Amino acid sequence: MPNIVLTRIDNRLVHGQVATQWCGSIGANLILVANDEVSTNKLRQGLMDMAAPSYASMRYWSVQKTIETIHKASDKQMIFIVCENPQDVLKLVEGGVPIKKVNIGNMHMAEGKRQVAGSVAVDDADVAAFAKMRELGVELEIRRVPSEGAENIEKLFS
């Protein structure tokens, strides 16, 4: 079974905060960006490579490739999965990726979304995906950085 130390939702994917603070606190040595668009976008990959800590390998896979390939991971790989939105995480969970906990870090405000926490804005589709993950036994937490306390997850559903 792959050693997934954390799965994070961050619409910015990998940036300085994710790379430095989260990787260090969870002991990740592999950052897996599961995102269909980024899996083929060398420019965005290059920018994320620059933000990644030197001790962590980077992978850029589509959601489907992640589902098909993650079970081949070595036990030595401490995997930090980063997704852009809750729908992609739900696809991973429903596709058999053994995700136990999801950190909700940053979901930008946009048309049709409502702010539910400092850095989290959701629409009805996001809420439905979070509700389904919770039904499937996935632990959810809202937390921007490891040094902050988690916010009340019920904010997502009110």
Side-chain angles (χ1 to χ4, degrees):
M1 178 172 326
N3 192 355
I4 299 168
V5 291
L6 185 66
T7 300
R8 177 177 168 89
I9 297 170
D10 191 322
N11 60 293
R12 300 165 297 177
L13 298 171
V14 177
H15 53 90
Q17 190 178 72
V18 167
T20 56
Q21 295 183 40
W22 280 106
C23 271
S25 76
I26 62 175
N29 60 19
L30 173 65
I31 302 172
L32 169 54
V33 176
N35 181 278
D36 292 347
E37 192 272 326
V38 172
S39 69
T40 60
N41 186 325
K42 297 296 184 198
L43 177 63
R44 286 187 71 189
Q45 291 176 20
L47 293 170
M48 286 185 245
D49 285 345
M50 286 190 274
S54 59
Y55 57 83
S57 299
M58 297 292 296
R59 301 284 184 280
Y60 302 98
W61 292 349
S62 67
V63 171
Q64 189 58 42
K65 181 174 179 177
T66 302
I67 290 166
E68 293 168 0
T69 310
I70 193 130
H71 293 282
K72 298 174 184 169
S74 160
D75 291 342
K76 295 183 188 109
Q77 291 175 311
M78 308 293 277
I79 305 169
F80 180 21
I81 298 176
V82 183
C83 291
E84 192 170 32
N85 58 61
Q87 293 80 4
D88 284 352
V89 176
L90 180 58
K91 288 178 196 167
L92 293 176
V93 171
E94 290 178 330
V97 177
I99 293 171
K100 302 288 181 244
K101 181 176 185 176
V102 174
N103 164 262
I104 304 155
N106 199 63
M107 294 175 63
H108 281 316
M109 188 64 170
E111 179 115 11
K113 292 194 178 233
R114 59 194 176 277
Q115 200 81 29
V116 294
S119 60
V120 179
V122 297
D123 60 20
D124 292 343
D126 298 330
V127 172
F130 285 128
K132 182 69 176 167
M133 279 186 250
R134 195 157 69 166
E135 278 175 35
L136 294 170
V138 177
E139 179 188 344
L140 303 173
E141 77 163 7
I142 300 172
R143 186 188 312 224
R144 278 186 333 110
V145 292
S147 58
E148 290 180 0
E151 296 188 49
N152 183 349
I153 198 67
E154 293 309 316
K155 291 178 180 185
L156 290 173
F157 305 102
S158 55

